[in-house]
Amino acid sequence: FKIITALFLKDTVAVAAQDAESTIHEKIKEKARFAEKLVAIFAEADSSGDGCVTWAEFKELLEDETARAYLASLEIDPTSAKFLFDLLDDGDGSISAQEFVDGALRLKGQ
């Protein structure tokens, strides 16, 4: 009986480990998908094409209904966009793609 119990526990632990690993991989994929979407939003906002977004460019992006809906779908509240921009800006008046992605991921808790 002890051998059967030990084998059962061994299999149960193995399945639990696989489930945990699967969950971790899914979270990593989800974070990567989210980051890709953020990069796409940033590229759309970067109307000057210089790799940085000023508040004026970001504000212009927020005038687009589709962009606002997209940000909302990513759980980024478009109504607090100025707060978000100021939070991400390192003081130079613009945000880079990396600042935008990193900041949005932190806000989302990833």
Side-chain angles (χ1 to χ4, degrees):
F1 180 72
K2 289 182 181 180
I3 294 173
I4 293 172
T5 302
L7 289 173
F8 174 76
L9 288 174
K10 179 183 170 194
D11 288 344
T12 302
V13 169
V15 168
Q18 287 175 342
D19 285 347
E21 189 173 317
S22 176
T23 300
I24 291 168
H25 286 295
E26 188 55 41
K27 288 285 185 185
I28 291 169
K29 286 180 188 177
E30 181 182 320
K31 183 177 179 178
R33 286 190 298 267
F34 185 72
E36 287 175 16
K37 291 175 184 178
L38 291 170
V39 169
I41 290 172
F42 184 88
E44 187 175 333
D46 185 15
S47 58
S48 66
D50 65 355
C52 291
V53 172
T54 63
W55 170 242
E57 288 174 314
F58 199 68
K59 187 176 170 186
E60 185 178 319
L61 173 76
L62 294 171
E63 293 173 4
D64 180 357
E65 180 80 25
T66 303
R68 282 196 316 273
Y70 195 63
L71 285 169
S73 76
L74 295 174
E75 299 177 19
I76 298 174
D77 184 2
T79 60
S80 42
K82 179 63 172 154
F83 173 75
L84 173 64
F85 186 89
D86 289 342
L87 186 66
L88 301 178
D89 181 15
D90 61 7
D92 62 1
S94 64
I95 54 176
S96 68
Q98 193 65 50
E99 289 171 326
F100 181 68
V101 172
D102 289 347
L105 287 172
R106 278 193 311 266
L107 287 173
K108 191 166 168 53
Q110 294 191 357

